[in-house]
Amino acid sequence: SYDAEASAVSDDTPTLAQPVITVYSARGYVPFSIEVGEDYPGFADEMAMVLSQGFVDLVANQSMVGSGSSQPRGLFTAMAAVTTNPVHVTLTTSGVLGAVDVRAAWAALPERFRGRANWVMSTTVEAKVRALGNNLNIADFTVDLTKDGIPVLTGREVVVSDYAPTWVGTTGAANYAVVGDLSQFYVIQRAGMSVELIPNVFDQATGRPSGSRGLFATARHGFDVANPAGFRLLSST
């Protein structure tokens, strides 16, 4: 604030809000017989690697489109649910993605979030952006097919995820891209994934050993948008 000379400074205390983000437990289990463990060299190590990759895929999916019900809430899900903030930027022509829509989403993002902003979209949406300028509209040209992809858009890095919503070209409701400051998307990590060996699995009916072992993987985490104002969602409606 600006204050008059020799006057008391105004009280500029900010309003502090505490985001609430639920932590969920992710689990995986692979049972196997003692014989398999003896006859398949490195079986346990290989299955641990499979569980690890499955966890990476799970997190990648949920961070984009997790429902927030019994699982973390993804970036696109959180932004689509916002109704109290002007965060939705709709396509100029329903079912058609144009350079004008990219510019509109960028312009709608508040200036204080642009410096650390990123674009997030699926490979199919990126492909639509790659094609901008095919009608000799050189000002909107992005990248040709000899390149790996779009490294930057409006000067900001593009994050591509196969788990982000895909391009469907519908005139109905669909979400296509998010632009904003990803530091406003919180990831709460209680524990990284751990894999432990269960040396004896017991038969539930008899309570006796079943001749099986198991690999049990666990992890606890949660994520959600803490400040929706830091993003803009480009959608069809």
Side-chain angles (χ1 to χ4, degrees), residues 192-211:
M193 194 192 79
S194 62
V195 180
E196 61 183 80
L197 174 68
I198 300 174
N200 286 295
V201 177
F202 289 84
D203 179 74
Q204 293 186 3
T206 65
R208 296 191 291 269
S210 64

Side-chain angles (χ1 to χ4, degrees), residues 91-176:
L91 299 180
T92 304
T93 302
S94 185
V96 178
L97 178 63
V100 63
D101 303 310
V102 173
R103 291 193 291 267
W106 178 249
L109 184 67
E111 182 178 7
R112 66 183 181 274
F113 298 113
R114 291 181 195 154
R116 294 190 296 181
N118 293 98
W119 290 85
V120 183
M121 62 186 69
S122 70
T123 306
T124 56
V125 175
E126 183 201 32
K128 287 293 180 181
V129 177
R130 286 165 65 99
L132 297 180
N134 277 354
N135 295 322
L136 301 181
N137 192 355
I138 303 301
D140 295 330
F141 178 78
T142 50
V143 66
D144 61 48
L145 292 178
T146 65
K147 305 296 183 182
D148 291 337
I150 306 170
V152 294
L153 192 60
T154 62
R156 309 310 303 168
E157 182 180 353
V158 177
V159 178
V160 178
S161 171
D162 284 346
Y163 296 107
T166 59
W167 174 261
V168 291
T170 179
T171 56
N175 303 315
Y176 292 127

Side-chain angles (χ1 to χ4, degrees), residues 13-228:
T13 304
T15 300
L16 301 179
Q18 179 63 48
V20 177
I21 298 177
T22 304
V23 172
Y24 296 91
S25 179
R27 299 177 179 179
Y29 179 62
V30 177
F32 60 96
S33 67
I34 292 177
E35 290 80 5
V36 167
E38 293 173 343
D39 298 340
Y40 191 153
F43 175 81
D45 291 339
E46 193 164 330
M47 289 302 102
M49 182 178 65
V50 171
L51 285 167
S52 178
Q53 185 58 56
F55 175 65
V56 170
D57 290 342
L58 177 67
V59 170
N61 178 280
Q62 297 300 300
S63 65
M64 293 291 105
V65 295
S67 68
S69 175
S70 300
Q71 58 188 233
R73 190 158 72 152
L75 176 62
F76 282 85
T77 305
M79 295 311 300
V82 176
T83 58
T84 58
N85 225 6
V87 300
H88 295 189
V89 178
T90 58
L91 299 180
T92 304
T93 302
S94 185
V96 178
L97 178 63
V100 63
D101 303 310
V102 173
R103 291 193 291 267
W106 178 249
L109 184 67
E111 182 178 7
R112 66 183 181 274
F113 298 113
R114 291 181 195 154
R116 294 190 296 181
N118 293 98
W119 290 85
V120 183
M121 62 186 69
S122 70
T123 306
T124 56
V125 175
E126 183 201 32
K128 287 293 180 181
V129 177
R130 286 165 65 99
L132 297 180
N134 277 354
N135 295 322
L136 301 181
N137 192 355
I138 303 301
D140 295 330
F141 178 78
T142 50
V143 66
D144 61 48
L145 292 178
T146 65
K147 305 296 183 182
D148 291 337
I150 306 170
V152 294
L153 192 60
T154 62
R156 309 310 303 168
E157 182 180 353
V158 177
V159 178
V160 178
S161 171
D162 284 346
Y163 296 107
T166 59
W167 174 261
V168 291
T170 179
T171 56
N175 303 315
Y176 292 127
V178 168
V179 60
D181 181 358
L182 290 178
S183 70
Q184 306 301 314
F185 180 69
Y186 283 18
V187 177
I188 310 302
Q189 184 89 343
R190 292 299 188 215
M193 194 192 79
S194 62
V195 180
E196 61 183 80
L197 174 68
I198 300 174
N200 286 295
V201 177
F202 289 84
D203 179 74
Q204 293 186 3
T206 65
R208 296 191 291 269
S210 64
S212 299
R213 308 191 193 280
L215 291 172
F216 181 46
T218 60
R220 295 181 64 232
H221 58 261
F223 29 78
D224 202 346
V225 170
N227 183 11

